[in-house]
Amino acid sequence: MASRVLDAIPTMFLVLTLVFVAMRLLPGDPAVTLLGDHATPAQIEAMRARLGLDVPLWQQYLRFLWNALTFDFGKSFVNSQSVAAMVGLNLPYTIELTIVSTLLGTIAAIPLGVVAATHRGKTTDYVTRLFSLAGFAIPDFYLGALLLITFSLNLGWFPINGGGQGFADRMYHVFLPAIALAFIKAAFVSRLTRSSLLEVLNKDFVRTARAKGGREPRVIYRHALRNALLPVVTGLGLSILSTLSGSVAIEFIFGRPGIGSMLITGIETRDYPVIQAGIVVFAMFVVVVNLVMDVLYVFIDPRVGAVR
């Protein structure tokens, strides 16, 4: 595990460098964006100096690295708020959306995959595979817009925007956006569960468990499924990462606070500190998810830890 943490250090350094370079390659000048097209050259230069954009790029880069290491992303170019405070305000909503959608997707996906594998070639299997195909075919932002129009605008069952206050209200607000992300997640993980379980069901230890008179549910869930979980955990990790990218569009569509919404607003206004902070947070998510997946590998199969 320590080696995996050390491996994450050059990854984060590379991400920080790419973020810095990408921000400087974006078209448009933040000073002009803030002042408007009618600003004079003197006003633009004064604004660039106030924003710290008048110093050489290498100095900006070193200052950016140091600030990122100390979690000090400076102040927003637009409203002069502390970017760290903005991240602290928005991050819980993105984590909440990720956790709820992951739980909903996993709760639906694994049983669906098991049912499809144990009823291979039957109607249940075909229906499950059709569900998976639909999940792959429908973009998350399109499904989110469809759910919003149907259940919020037309039926009025769920709120149109916002993140809610208090646990119950926040779960009420997050449910519909989480369903949009969970549908795609469930489609991917259920298909992976089916294929992995089908492979394990042909193994000798499963036939031995059945020959000893083990009840079928016990054979499936106690013996076969546990040995089929490693690929599923890998797929679950990938689906969590896709949820993070999908949350950008989903938060925007549902008008939710979150890192995704903050990032879109920063891109629209060329707000370098906000954009940099948002991308760094997502990169840290990726590193943390990978570390958690490694822990789960060892928990499911201790032999993995010995190999690593």
Side-chain angles (χ1 to χ4, degrees), residues 1-12:
M1 182 55 62
S3 63
R4 298 294 293 177
V5 174
L6 292 176
D7 290 342
I9 295 176
T11 301
M12 286 302 302

Side-chain angles (χ1 to χ4, degrees), residues 81-129:
Q81 285 186 325
S82 167
V83 176
M86 294 173 64
V87 169
L89 182 65
N90 287 279
L91 183 57
Y93 290 98
T94 298
I95 295 176
E96 176 183 272
L97 177 60
T98 302
I99 292 175
V100 174
S101 63
T102 299
L103 288 176
L104 291 175
T106 305
I107 290 171
I110 293 181
L112 282 175
V114 171
V115 169
T118 54
H119 295 77
R120 183 179 184 180
K122 298 181 180 179
T123 302
T124 307
D125 185 22
Y126 288 119
V127 171
T128 304
R129 290 161 64 184

Side-chain angles (χ1 to χ4, degrees), residues 12-119:
M12 286 302 302
F13 176 78
L14 178 61
V15 168
L16 291 173
T17 302
L18 291 176
V19 167
F20 178 86
V21 173
M23 293 305 96
R24 271 63 188 176
L25 293 177
L26 280 177
D29 188 329
V32 176
T33 302
L34 290 173
L35 295 174
D37 295 332
H38 300 291
T40 64
Q43 290 174 324
I44 293 175
E45 287 303 317
M47 178 59 71
R48 287 179 59 83
R50 186 174 75 82
L51 299 177
L53 301 176
D54 60 330
V55 299
L57 281 177
W58 68 269
Q59 291 185 19
Q60 295 182 42
Y61 175 66
L62 292 179
R63 182 173 58 197
F64 165 67
L65 286 181
W66 174 253
N67 289 341
L69 291 174
T70 57
F71 295 96
D72 178 12
F73 297 102
K75 294 185 177 181
S76 167
F77 287 172
V78 177
N79 54 29
S80 298
Q81 285 186 325
S82 167
V83 176
M86 294 173 64
V87 169
L89 182 65
N90 287 279
L91 183 57
Y93 290 98
T94 298
I95 295 176
E96 176 183 272
L97 177 60
T98 302
I99 292 175
V100 174
S101 63
T102 299
L103 288 176
L104 291 175
T106 305
I107 290 171
I110 293 181
L112 282 175
V114 171
V115 169
T118 54
H119 295 77

Side-chain angles (χ1 to χ4, degrees), residues 231-247:
V232 176
V233 169
T234 301
L236 185 60
L238 293 175
S239 67
I240 292 174
L241 298 181
S242 68
T243 298
L244 294 175
S245 61
S247 67

Side-chain angles (χ1 to χ4, degrees), residues 148-202:
L148 180 67
I149 293 171
T150 303
F151 294 102
S152 295
L153 292 177
N154 292 340
L155 297 177
W157 292 356
F158 293 94
I160 296 176
N161 55 28
Q165 298 293 329
F167 179 78
D169 192 34
R170 288 179 68 154
M171 291 300 101
Y172 178 51
H173 277 75
V174 79
F175 182 77
L176 208 58
I179 287 292
L181 292 173
F183 180 74
I184 287 87
K185 185 189 306 296
F188 174 65
V189 176
S190 65
R191 191 178 185 89
L192 194 60
T193 302
R194 175 187 180 274
S195 60
S196 180
L197 188 57
L198 281 175
E199 182 179 350
V200 172
L201 287 175
N202 294 321

